[in-house]
Amino acid sequence: MSVHGDGQANPVIRLSEVHKHYDTGPLDVHALRGIDLEIYPGEFVAIMGPSGSGKTTLMEIMGCLSRPSLGDFRLNGRNVEEISANGLARIRGEEIGFVFQSFNLLPRLSLIENVELPLVYRRVGRRERRDRAVTALARVGLDHRARHSPMEISGGERQRVAIARALVNAPSLLLADEPTGNLDSVTGDEILKLLHTIHAEGATVVIVTHDRTIGEQAERQLAIRDGLIAGDRERR
């Protein structure tokens, strides 16, 4: 785990007084109400909170999928507000890996084609992207099923494919939103072990979860409630 606040490491993520509003017509939803947060290289962080607490909104901002309504967000020292839409797309494609509860695999594509997608968007040559996709599938133990479709494998295997897709660009930051939410406990444990392995190899890992038993496996736990950080502690 990286060193905090002593000048030896700069934060990967720094949010200062970040707010997020959603105008839904008759209602103005204030999802985040002034978040101050720093996450450092090599950390494994769990963001925990009940439904509606703002944790997914926070992850969307950290992943450059959404912009703050107010406040300052810096990613690796860069002010995200000053980055163009194309620049943010490049960052999402090259520096950040995403894992979602619903897997987000395309059923008409084979597993290897799903894993290749981020490389297709980056216009990586066919042979290189195929080699990198095979390597990513091998890391999650599914290279032998590369030609299968997502409909031919289990939920746990689909999540492993989603992780392979997240890893194919060798991101420095991995964001996982309820990565075990649709899985049984045994399969969920396997996914968490894989995330720990990725973390041990040097990635910064942030997971969103409502499950305290999962969150407590992280080195650092952030509690979020009503759009605010309600707790921040490190596992001893």
Side-chain angles (χ1 to χ4, degrees):
M1 186 173 174
S2 59
V3 180
H4 290 230
D6 61 0
Q8 294 187 32
N10 293 317
V12 177
I13 292 167
R14 174 177 281 159
L15 297 100
S16 303
E17 275 296 308
V18 164
H19 293 251
K20 184 66 179 182
H21 297 265
Y22 294 103
D23 185 359
T24 61
L27 295 175
D28 179 22
V29 178
H30 200 167
L32 300 179
R33 299 174 176 269
I35 296 288
D36 292 307
L37 175 62
E38 292 181 349
I39 294 176
Y40 288 80
E43 286 198 283
F44 192 129
V45 180
I47 299 173
M48 297 181 289
S51 178
S53 60
K55 59 187 186 297
T56 295
T57 299
L58 178 58
M59 176 162 283
E60 288 174 349
I61 287 175
M62 291 192 296
C64 300
L65 296 169
S66 177
R67 292 182 186 265
S69 302
L70 292 170
D72 183 73
F73 169 37
R74 294 180 183 270
L75 181 67
N76 288 317
R78 294 165 293 183
N79 186 343
V80 172
E81 187 62 31
E82 298 174 354
I83 301 174
S84 68
N86 286 340
L88 291 179
R90 183 194 60 77
I91 288 170
R92 289 192 298 268
E94 298 179 8
E95 300 180 30
I96 305 173
F98 297 93
V99 180
F100 301 98
Q101 179 178 355
S102 57
F103 318 134
N104 288 6
L105 301 178
L106 299 181
R108 293 186 179 181
L109 298 183
S110 67
L111 303 187
I112 195 165
E113 288 170 336
N114 269 281
V115 174
E116 283 181 333
L117 275 177
L119 302 175
V120 173
Y121 298 145
R122 289 183 59 190
R123 300 181 179 179
V124 173
R126 181 174 180 178
R127 176 171 293 182
E128 180 183 350
R129 70 175 186 251
R130 183 56 49 101
D131 289 345
R132 288 170 62 175
V134 168
T135 299
L137 280 172
R139 288 188 66 188
V140 301
L142 286 174
D143 50 316
H144 64 292
R145 306 203 68 176
R147 303 294 177 182
H148 287 72
S149 82
M151 307 309 294
E152 296 175 315
I153 60 176
S154 69
E157 288 171 327
R158 290 178 196 174
Q159 192 60 292
R160 284 156 62 188
V161 174
I163 291 172
R165 181 185 57 196
L167 296 178
V168 76
N169 273 328
S172 58
L173 174 63
L174 184 68
L175 303 177
D177 190 359
E178 300 282 7
T180 63
N182 284 334
L183 307 174
D184 61 74
S185 59
V186 173
T187 307
D189 286 343
E190 293 174 353
I191 295 301
L192 284 171
K193 288 178 183 176
L194 181 55
L195 293 177
H196 279 290
T197 298
I198 294 164
H199 169 246
E201 293 172 352
T204 305
V205 177
V206 181
I207 63 171
V208 158
T209 182
H210 68 276
D211 189 330
R212 182 169 294 276
T213 60
I214 292 172
E216 287 177 349
Q217 295 190 41
E219 292 179 341
R220 180 182 174 197
Q221 297 96 37
L222 297 172
I224 186 167
R225 187 175 297 275
D226 298 326
L228 288 166
I229 300 293
D232 184 352
R233 67 185 181 90
E234 294 185 10
R235 190 180 65 196
R236 300 299 181 187

